[in-house]
Amino acid sequence: MTRISRREFAAGAAGAAALAGFAPAALAQGRARPRVVVVGGGFGGATTAKYLRMLDKNIQVTLVEPSQTFYTCPFSNLVLGGLRTLPSIAHNYTAMRNKYGVNVLHTTATKVDAAKKTVALANGQTLQYDKLVLSPGIDFKWGAIAGYDEPASQLLPHAWKAGPQTALLRRQLEAMRDGGTVVIAAPADPFRCPPGPYERVSMIAHYLKTKKPKSKILILDAKDAFSKQGLFMGGWKALYGDMIEWVPLSKDGKVVKVDAKTRQLECELGAKHKGDVVNVIPPQKAGAIAMAAGVAQGDWCPINPATFESTMRKDIHVIGDASIAAPMPKSGFSASSQGKVTAAAIVAMLQGKEPAAASFANTCYSLVGPDYGISVAAVYKVQDGKMIAVPNSGGVSPAQADPAFRKAEARYGESWYKANTAEVWG
Amino acid sequence: MTRLILAAAAVLASGMVPAQAQQADGRVLAMSCLNCHGPGGKSGGDIPSIAGKSEDFLKNALVDFREGKRTGNSATVMGRLAKGYSDDEIAAVAKYIATLK
């Protein structure tokens, strides 16, 4: 294996013509360097691209990501609460290019030909791959809630992909009168970031308590239980009194219809609600390229958890929110952990070796108040071809803890964000 | 039974060998640690750095976390996480992380 300089690598990976020129036979004869295309520059995709290059410099890695700037969903709730600014959760691909020699293309992948092993891009290029990694995150099921389509999200933001939507929801909260009601519609499982809606409630409650204390928050939920529920509810009571009301599925909490202009919501059994600010977190599915590549079964993508290779198409790996990896949650940390295992497996597979036993972790902090953090953590492995949480491990923060413990977890959460994003984009 | 056969078929179809045949690899086990402890094990925040620690220190710390011998505000998630690893896995993790300087 020859070590090739960054400049040579960049030259080799510069254009589609150059990339498409390699015939698969050349690889078998050891003349060409393996090509891996990664689609999606979020926690999963960016980690995979970086780790492929860290583990084997011989691999040519192309990362396809439309945005120049990536805003993380983790900590976007802190922007809503006024504890963070949007630029403070922005990340870019400079290190990916300059430090790790990843060929980053800011365009959209539109089509995959699994037989020819090519990916078509919106900029007209076609990339040839030996291994393809899809980390497309989520798309919304527009219309699953009647009246909630993309234009409606400009009036009732989802803010479930961070960036302009986060800024829009923040502006609406800032413009709301004291004494107003914020309605948050939370989806049924599975969805991106299980504790996310409830951390959002917490952060909005913090903002309201500070600036508009007569206001209320109403959560309309399409399920009867949620992540870290006891911890959130205990924290809400301690910090925000009776500001927050949670309506579960069994109490007619499932929103089935919205009127974006009047900000009215209608639930399954007929209950009607109106909000001054309405945040609809709609049902979700795997990102569009997963559907186009034929690796989705229903809304999500089945994978072999040992390698995250699709069970539907050979040499296509699907990681992160788009994959069916339960009991791992759809979280940025999970996606990054999966990206690392996938990178190691791909390196082994391309060298004709057996991948090492897969091992994953997930650790997610949520902020209930500025000095009140809670966490969930777990370790996962593969047993009999299935993803399992290692028995007797993992769990959430203790139900009873002193303020110093909650404060420590708030500080660890900050440290976690810094380390995690540096590990992915730095 | 049908389920088993289906699982086996899925494994074969994707060209993989069953997980039981695979060996623990310290680096693969330890990679997830860095999402909290930072790139190369250097944290830069309140979570301690793990770079530059000796293999023995790391092994003992992980075992202590797992056995509940480290408690209080410096043992928030680590007890829960360490319980997910066997003695062999902890040894492999410690050996790999000790190479991070």
Side-chain angles (χ1 to χ4, degrees):
Chain A
M1 198 190 303
T2 357
R3 210 186 145 105
I4 295 183
S5 77
R6 192 169 296 146
R7 185 169 296 180
E8 282 168 307
F9 170 75
L19 283 168
F22 293 104
L27 176 67
Q29 289 161 24
R31 282 191 278 116
R33 297 161 55 205
R35 294 146 303 178
V36 180
V37 175
V38 181
V39 177
F43 281 91
T47 302
T48 311
K50 172 176 168 176
Y51 265 72
L52 281 165
R53 294 285 299 158
M54 281 170 62
L55 295 170
D56 186 352
K57 281 274 187 294
N58 192 45
I59 298 175
Q60 303 178 76
V61 180
T62 302
L63 176 66
V64 181
E65 162 58 46
S67 307
Q68 308 257 355
T69 304
F70 187 91
Y71 295 97
T72 57
C73 281
F75 275 40
S76 65
N77 287 329
L78 279 64
V79 175
L80 298 176
L83 302 181
R84 281 262 185 167
T85 63
L86 203 51
S88 82
I89 58 164
H91 303 274
N92 63 51
Y93 300 91
T94 308
M96 200 66 71
R97 251 189 209 106
N98 298 342
K99 206 165 153 193
Y100 301 102
V102 173
N103 177 35
V104 183
L105 300 177
H106 289 299
T107 181
T108 305
T110 54
K111 242 184 346 205
V112 174
D113 186 326
K116 287 185 184 153
K117 297 180 122 182
T118 56
V119 183
L121 307 180
N123 69 1
Q125 280 183 271
T126 300
L127 304 178
Q128 186 83 44
Y129 66 81
D130 297 300
K131 284 280 191 186
L132 174 64
V133 179
L134 300 180
S135 186
I138 53 155
D139 271 354
F140 299 114
K141 296 171 83 170
W142 300 119
I145 295 173
Y148 198 71
D149 53 11
E150 204 162 358
S153 73
Q154 293 305 311
L155 299 169
L156 318 179
H158 55 77
W160 217 241
K161 290 183 183 181
Q165 277 276 312
T166 314
L168 175 62
L169 182 54
R170 172 71 190 168
R171 283 199 303 275
Q172 291 187 353
L173 290 167
E174 283 171 348
M176 191 182 83
R177 68 189 165 91
D178 188 6
T181 299
V182 178
V183 181
I184 297 176
D189 295 315
F191 65 100
R192 161 179 284 179
C193 190
Y198 314 97
E199 184 194 56
R200 171 166 296 177
V201 166
S202 310
M203 287 293 92
I204 291 175
H206 166 71
Y207 168 70
L208 295 177
K209 182 185 172 183
T210 322
K211 305 278 184 188
K212 292 157 188 173
K214 287 181 238 157
S215 309
K216 295 275 180 210
I217 301 175
L218 178 66
I219 312 161
L220 300 173
D221 212 324
K223 56 192 170 303
D224 278 323
F226 60 85
S227 171
K228 308 179 196 169
Q229 184 169 346
L231 289 166
F232 274 116
M233 289 188 146
W236 291 344
K237 203 169 172 203
L239 298 180
Y240 309 116
D242 58 359
M243 179 186 273
I244 300 161
E245 184 190 351
W246 178 60
V247 183
L249 172 70
S250 57
K251 297 267 168 64
D252 201 18
K254 185 184 177 184
V255 173
V256 292
K257 191 177 169 186
V258 298
D259 183 342
K261 289 206 174 84
T262 58
R263 296 189 302 278
Q264 286 202 26
L265 305 96
E266 201 176 310
C267 293
E268 205 173 18
L269 305 178
K272 289 189 172 126
H273 303 274
K274 191 170 161 34
D276 294 278
V277 171
V278 176
N279 168 216
V280 177
I281 305 169
Q284 299 151 29
K285 59 182 180 181
I289 191 65
M291 305 294 169
V295 293
Q297 212 168 62
D299 290 334
W300 309 103
C301 305
I303 46 92
N304 170 359
T307 59
F308 276 73
E309 188 173 22
S310 165
T311 57
M312 301 175 74
R313 297 273 187 276
K314 197 175 177 313
D315 294 322
I316 301 180
H317 299 246
V318 187
I319 64 169
D321 294 348
S323 67
I324 301 172
M328 288 190 86
K330 296 186 186 302
S331 72
F333 197 111
S334 289
S336 182
S337 180
Q338 293 160 6
K340 290 176 180 185
V341 168
T342 299
I346 286 175
V347 166
M349 289 163 107
L350 288 171
Q351 293 173 355
K353 292 179 189 158
E354 190 182 300
S359 171
F360 311 89
N362 181 61
T363 302
C364 289
Y365 287 90
S366 302
L367 218 46
V368 182
D371 292 322
Y372 196 118
I374 56 176
S375 63
V376 61
V379 180
Y380 303 91
K381 65 179 181 183
V382 181
Q383 199 171 70
D384 302 326
K386 286 201 163 90
M387 181 75 80
I388 61 156
V390 178
N392 305 316
S393 75
V396 299
S397 308
Q400 302 301 325
D402 59 27
F405 189 94
R406 303 295 189 214
K407 192 171 180 176
E409 287 215 283
R411 296 293 87 79
Y412 288 147
E414 226 168 87
S415 184
W416 163 89
Y417 182 81
K418 192 175 176 186
N420 206 357
T421 52
E423 177 67 356
V424 178
W425 290 280
Chain B
M1 190 58 191
T2 317
R3 209 173 196 176
L4 266 178
I5 292 167
L6 283 175
V11 164
L12 287 174
S14 59
M16 288 305 309
V17 290
Q20 293 92 316
Q22 298 163 335
Q23 292 301 304
D25 178 300
R27 184 167 192 169
V28 170
L29 285 163
M31 288 188 302
S32 293
C33 306
L34 308 184
N35 286 73
C36 290
H37 291 281
K42 295 189 178 84
S43 156
D46 282 12
I47 295 171
S49 289
I50 49 175
K53 307 279 189 206
S54 74
E55 190 176 334
D56 275 350
F57 172 88
L58 293 162
K59 198 172 10 180
N60 292 336
L62 284 166
V63 170
D64 285 351
F65 276 123
R66 190 181 63 185
E67 312 303 334
K69 287 178 192 156
R70 277 192 179 212
T71 53
N73 297 351
S74 63
T76 52
V77 293
M78 276 312 297
R80 292 175 250 156
L81 287 166
K83 284 184 179 65
Y85 301 95
S86 68
D87 285 342
D88 286 352
E89 288 169 336
I90 283 180
V93 166
K95 191 171 178 184
Y96 172 73
I97 292 175
T99 66
L100 303 174
K101 296 299 169 200

